Each structure stands twice: as structure tokens, then as C-alpha cells.
Amino acid sequence: MIKKTAIVAFYLVFAVVGSMRWVSGKVEEYVNAPIRNDSNVLFTVPEGANYHSVTGYLVSEGMVDSSQWGRWATKIYPELTYIKAGTYQLEPNMRVVDIFSVFRAGKEHQFAITFVEGSTFKEWLELLAKTDSIRHEMTSLSESEIAMKLGLPSEKGEGLFLPETYYFVMGDSDTSILIRALKQLNAELESAWKDRATGLPIKSTYELLTLASIIEKETSVETERGKVASVFVNRLNKRMRLQSDPTVIYGMGDKYDGNLRKKDLWAPTPYNTYVIFGLPPTPISMPSKASIIAAANPDNTPYFYFVADGLGRHNFSTTLTAHNRAVRQYLKTLKNK
């Protein structure tokens, strides 16, 4: 009798172990099955979500099948229950176990926003406002209110942020992105100021930034920035007006329609460097690191003038006579086009 009982117990244990192995195999198939999505999909795990609510959503979206083995999965893979709220990117052919590994690690999707060199603060605010993945805190604020909120040295935000690509996760605020851009700009500005050339007619980092913003708007040719900077520095040293068209355009604001007329060059505004001496009161754009460096260390040249050559670059001149000749050549080139 005892022998028979032992045999029955042996087969029961064997059956249970076999059954567990079979269940484990089915669960393994489930967690290693690829989700169904042909392209990258953004998936948000809300606060308080758990394994079952997340898999339920995946089922409702048709990315995984409803399966009893999915309900057993946490018994065999308890790590699936550890997930962090956030927005994640699910790539094609990811396995169920892969996506929960991403959720567990909190590897949220990185969004990107790119601010173009030479753009204005107004354009930055417009770009931030239309970026849906950003939490908007500044939409209803005026420029001076934003300046106060960020602790800016001026009521205007122009020029005070470094234009480049910034990465963020879903729900990051426009404030946090601007603070990062502000810190980046300050770091570059302080570095350039520390290594600036001697004898510059520039009294502060803010004036350096203002000059850099004009250089940024005058040329996008890397090898010309130092020459453009030298022209403005030479003119400042000689008490000559800068006569920079971009400053005129900035001062015109919304009145600028894309055409700069002769009368505009002599219309008085605080920014019109055909009228005022020295630098305008604030930067006129967001300058790049390259323009800041050029402003701090201009080329050593005899140039006082430059004009576009009609081919994407500029001609530089020492005298007004040579400059006028270059202007006529520029107009001829435009006419021939």
C-alpha cells in the first residue's frame, strides 16, 4: 500500500512539474513575442499604472493578443511589475519583455527642439508655443514678465539664449528649456569674454553679445565671421557708425515687409546704426557660439566696409571708393542673374 502511495505521489509531482514547465514555456512564448506595430509608436505610462493596466491598453490597441499567459507572466517574471510613469517610444518588433524593461528603466523618449542661429526671441516663443509635447507656462506672459521670471539682466530676452538643439521628455516646461539655453549661453559668453582680444571697444559681456548678434545676421559663412567682426570693431574704434542693415530691420519690427528702402536707412529708431553711434541697446538676434567667439577675437584687418558679392559671400574694402566699386559690382551681378 505504501509502495503504491509513493508511486502515485511520484507521478503527481511529475505531473505538477511537467505542468509548471508547460505553463512556464507558454509564458516565455508570450513575453518574447514581438508587439505588432509597423512604425515607432509613442506610449505613455500614466502615474499609478501597473502591469495589468498597461497590457490591457496594449491589447486594446491591437499590439498584443489577449492571453491567459499574459496574466501568469508576473508570477514567473516579477520584474515586469516594476514600471515608471513616462512617455516611451515603442519600436517595431520589440518583444513584450523588452518594452517592460524600458518601462522599468524609465528610459523616456527624448523629444528635440531646434532653435536656429540668428533667430529672434519672438520666433523662439512661437516655436515653443506650437510644440505640443512641451508644458506651456509662458504662453500668456509678456516678454518683460518672462524676463523677470527667468531673472534676465534685461527686460528683453533677445540674444540671451544659445541657439542649438535641446532634448527633453514629455511634459518638460518651456521655462526649463529656456533656462538650459540661458545657462549654455552664459557659459559660452563668459568663456569668450575671458579669452577676448585686448583693446576691444567693448565694455561688457552684454555689449559683446550685442555685437555677436549683428555679426550673426550679417553672415552665415564661417570663414567670414572674423572679418565682419573686424569691420565693426574698426568702425567702433574710429567712432564711425556701424551702418548695419540688420539693425535697421530689427528696429522696424512688424513694419518690415521684406524690402529695405533707402528711406528706411535714415528712419530713426534706437536700433538703426545708420543713425545712432555705437551699438544698439540690445542684441538683435540669438548669436551662435561662432559669432560670439568672432566678436571677442576679430581678425586683424584694415577693413571698414563690406558688401554682398551676390554669390553668397562678401567683398571687404578698406576705402569708401573701393567699397562703392564693390557695391556696383554687386548690383551688376544681381542684374545678370
Side-chain angles (χ1 to χ4, degrees):
M1 185 68 180
I2 295 175
K3 185 177 181 180
K4 287 184 178 180
T5 301
I7 293 172
V8 170
F10 171 79
Y11 279 110
L12 283 174
V13 170
F14 183 80
V16 169
V17 171
S19 177
M20 289 178 63
R21 286 179 177 173
W22 182 74
V23 170
S24 178
K26 289 295 185 182
V27 170
E28 187 174 353
E29 287 181 15
Y30 173 81
V31 299
N32 284 290
I35 60 174
R36 289 191 294 272
N37 57 313
D38 297 328
S39 58
N40 293 336
V41 175
L42 290 180
F43 181 84
T44 298
V45 176
E47 291 287 346
N50 56 36
Y51 167 81
H52 296 291
S53 62
V54 170
T55 53
Y57 182 81
L58 292 173
V59 169
S60 68
E61 291 296 304
M63 285 190 275
V64 300
D65 292 325
S66 177
S67 170
Q68 61 176 320
W69 310 120
R71 292 190 289 274
W72 277 85
T74 56
K75 304 296 183 183
I76 300 174
Y77 298 93
E79 66 270 18
L80 295 178
T81 61
Y82 302 107
I83 60 178
K84 296 178 181 179
T87 297
Y88 304 90
Q89 182 168 279
L90 306 186
E91 300 172 358
N93 298 318
M94 288 182 75
R95 301 173 302 164
V96 172
V97 69
D98 294 331
I99 65 173
F100 276 92
S101 176
V102 171
F103 296 160
R104 183 168 64 255
K107 296 178 181 177
E108 291 191 65
H109 175 65
Q110 297 287 309
F111 295 88
I113 186 169
T114 299
F115 300 106
V116 180
E117 297 168 352
S119 54
T120 63
F121 189 50
K122 179 182 178 182
E123 291 169 331
W124 279 45
L125 294 179
E126 289 172 349
L127 179 57
L128 286 166
K130 69 181 183 182
T131 303
D132 294 334
S133 44
I134 291 174
R135 178 163 47 87
H136 301 109
E137 297 179 341
M138 298 188 175
T139 307
S140 60
L141 301 182
S142 67
E143 187 169 355
S144 60
E145 288 172 332
I146 293 172
M148 184 178 295
K149 182 181 178 71
L150 297 178
L152 302 182
S154 167
E155 287 191 356
K156 288 182 67 65
E158 204 67 83
L160 296 176
F161 306 91
L162 190 68
E164 62 176 43
T165 297
Y166 293 91
Y167 294 92
F168 61 95
V169 299
M170 176 73 78
D172 278 355
S173 68
D174 47 9
T175 306
S176 67
I177 293 172
L178 286 181
I179 288 174
R180 286 163 56 196
L182 174 64
K183 289 179 178 178
Q184 289 279 85
L185 185 282
N186 285 337
E188 297 296 347
L189 187 59
E190 290 300 327
S191 176
W193 183 252
K194 181 180 178 181
D195 297 331
R196 71 189 184 280
T198 57
L200 288 180
I202 302 294
K203 301 185 181 69
S204 66
T205 55
Y206 194 67
E207 286 192 354
L208 181 68
L209 190 62
T210 301
L211 177 57
S213 74
I214 300 173
I215 296 167
E216 188 67 51
K217 296 300 288 186
E218 287 285 6
T219 184
S220 59
V221 180
E222 192 69 28
T223 56
E224 287 190 346
R225 294 181 197 269
K227 287 183 181 179
V228 171
S230 75
V231 169
F232 291 134
V233 166
N234 289 343
R235 293 178 77 92
L236 287 171
N237 280 328
K238 288 291 186 179
R239 289 283 298 163
M240 297 171 66
R241 292 185 177 94
L242 296 186
Q243 296 187 325
S244 168
D245 291 357
T247 65
V248 179
I249 293 170
Y250 188 83
M252 292 174 67
D254 293 336
K255 293 180 181 178
Y256 180 63
D257 60 4
N259 293 312
L260 192 62
R261 301 166 181 84
K262 198 167 185 178
K263 65 176 183 178
D264 298 325
L265 299 180
W266 304 108
T269 76
Y271 290 88
N272 187 344
T273 55
Y274 280 82
V275 176
I276 67 170
F277 284 95
L279 295 165
T282 74
I284 63 169
S285 72
M286 303 293 190
S288 63
K289 175 182 176 180
S291 288
I292 294 172
I293 292 174
N297 288 277
D299 291 352
N300 184 14
T301 77
Y303 300 134
F304 286 90
Y305 307 90
F306 65 90
V307 66
D309 63 3
L311 302 173
R313 301 178 71 87
H314 293 85
N315 284 319
F316 295 82
S317 304
T318 302
T319 67
L320 181 59
T321 300
H323 174 64
N324 288 336
R325 188 163 54 246
V327 171
R328 289 193 294 272
Q329 180 59 47
Y330 166 65
L331 295 174
K332 182 179 179 180
T333 301
L334 288 185
K335 185 177 179 181
N336 291 337
K337 280 188 175 181

